[in-house]
Amino acid sequence: MTRADTPTWTRGRRIPAVLMAVTAAVVPLGCSGGGGGGHAPASSAAAPTSTSPTAAPSTPKAATKVTIVNFAYDPSPLTVGKGTTVTWTNNDEAPHTVTSDGSGPLHSPTFGRGGTYSYTFDSVGTFTYYCTVHPNMHGTVVVK
């Protein structure tokens, strides 16, 4: 068919008609789920689930805080599990320590306001402590 044989009403409309046909064929492909931003087709089958065993994530060691405020350890007594790290934070203006009664494991340096001391309790037992600067201050950590 030559241009002279083409009806007048179709001249100049072939290219737009072809583009519309191609666009109509391509657009649904982009909307069929999988990254085109469209919706995935509905399915009556449930999504497959994994049946292989997975390792449980390792449990991080617990951390517990004791605040030194108004010349007292808060909380006291404190009960924690073996392997727990306890951190004491001084919120008083006065300096304090965390020192075990007898030969226990707690031996902090003297620390002022905002200072901290941490200790990880790796054995069970009852650990009593006091402040060497203010011997009337006492605390207890029970490790189970």
Side-chain angles (χ1 to χ4, degrees):
M1 185 184 275
T2 64
R3 182 169 170 87
D5 297 331
T6 306
T8 312
W9 62 272
T10 61
R11 285 188 191 153
R13 294 183 189 220
R14 279 196 166 156
I15 292 175
V18 170
L19 286 176
M20 288 184 68
V22 170
T23 303
V26 172
V27 169
L29 294 176
C31 296
S32 62
H39 299 283
S43 171
S44 60
T49 57
S50 174
T51 57
S52 62
T54 57
S58 62
T59 304
K61 298 291 184 187
T64 302
K65 299 179 187 267
V66 174
T67 302
I68 302 171
V69 61
N70 297 325
F71 293 85
Y73 299 106
D74 183 34
S76 181
L78 171 66
T79 302
V80 298
K82 181 179 173 184
T84 300
T85 299
V86 176
T87 300
W88 289 262
T89 302
N90 184 357
N91 287 346
D92 279 344
E93 291 295 327
H96 295 293
T97 69
V98 177
T99 307
S100 287
D101 289 334
S103 61
L106 303 172
H107 300 286
S108 79
T110 301
F111 54 102
R113 182 176 184 86
T116 63
Y117 171 71
S118 295
Y119 182 80
T120 301
F121 290 90
D122 290 325
S123 58
V124 298
T126 299
F127 301 87
T128 58
Y129 59 93
Y130 69 103
C131 174
T132 58
V133 181
H134 308 97
N136 59 323
M137 290 176 56
H138 292 274
T140 304
V141 176
V142 179
V143 182
K144 293 186 175 188

